[in-house]
Amino acid sequence: MGERLMARATVLFVCMGNICRSPLAEGAFRAEAERLGLDVAADSAGTGGWHKGEAPDARAIAVARRNGVDISGLRARQVRVEDFRTFTHIYALDHDNLRGLLNVAPADATAEVGLLLNLVDGHAGRAVIDPYYGNDAGFDVTWNDVVMAAQALARRLIDEGWTRTAE
């Protein structure tokens, strides 16, 4: 039985400054997509632009690296209005950023916008914690949350026929 093929899924992960949570989510999702051989694209951004052009926080790079994922080449950017038309899915990592996204979404937005942990059974309504002001252990908690979400998102995209496995 052939699988249904649709346009390539493109996913944007959004937090406040795009140096901790959203690059971790992007890295975890890219790794999961690669593991499954999925044809998807991923990016991350912040609702704020004060870290524009910066690499992820060193603690985020370290936790990703400990888990076999390199996010050191990512650079922070701010969400743009055109993101709502160029991405198929946009996921906020907390409620404040979800509200911010919904407030700036243009009337002709085509992206599905939601809260990332709503994808994970038993975690609906929860935010991915912001580890920035805490210690290294907070980055491990954040990593575990974004990995669970990446796995759930990959399964959802496959189930909905948004992507195909590479041959």
Side-chain angles (χ1 to χ4, degrees):
M1 175 179 197
E3 62 184 72
R4 182 176 66 137
L5 300 179
M6 293 176 74
R8 183 181 198 203
T10 54
V11 182
L12 180 66
F13 300 97
V14 179
C15 68
M16 188 71 67
N18 193 212
I19 61 168
C20 293
R21 294 174 292 171
S22 57
L24 285 172
E26 177 185 350
F29 180 68
R30 285 177 184 264
E32 182 65 7
E34 183 178 334
R35 184 183 76 79
L36 296 174
L38 302 180
D39 181 22
V40 296
D43 196 3
S44 59
T47 54
W50 50 89
H51 292 292
K52 184 178 176 183
E54 292 180 22
D57 185 286
R59 297 165 296 174
I61 292 171
V63 73
R65 185 172 289 133
R66 281 195 306 275
N67 289 281
V69 176
D70 182 8
I71 63 169
S72 64
L74 301 180
R75 294 297 176 262
R77 72 172 184 87
Q78 190 170 8
V79 172
R80 299 180 293 257
V81 170
E82 57 267 22
D83 290 334
F84 293 91
R85 293 183 290 270
T86 58
F87 287 91
T88 58
H89 300 76
I90 300 176
Y91 291 107
L93 279 83
D94 63 44
H95 298 280
D96 289 338
N97 287 298
L98 179 58
R99 275 190 297 279
L101 287 170
L102 295 174
N103 285 336
V104 299
D108 65 344
T110 54
E112 173 186 308
V113 179
L115 187 66
L116 183 62
L117 285 181
N118 282 355
L119 299 168
V120 180
D121 287 340
H123 289 77
R126 279 192 45 215
V128 174
I129 66 153
D130 186 350
Y132 185 75
Y133 292 105
N135 60 26
D136 292 355
F139 283 84
D140 290 317
V141 172
T142 298
W143 177 256
N144 290 335
D145 280 350
V146 298
V147 166
M148 282 190 307
Q151 293 167 346
L153 176 56
R155 283 191 306 273
R156 178 180 172 206
L157 292 175
I158 291 168
D159 290 348
E160 293 180 353
W162 270 103
T163 187
R164 63 175 174 77
T165 53
E167 307 217 4

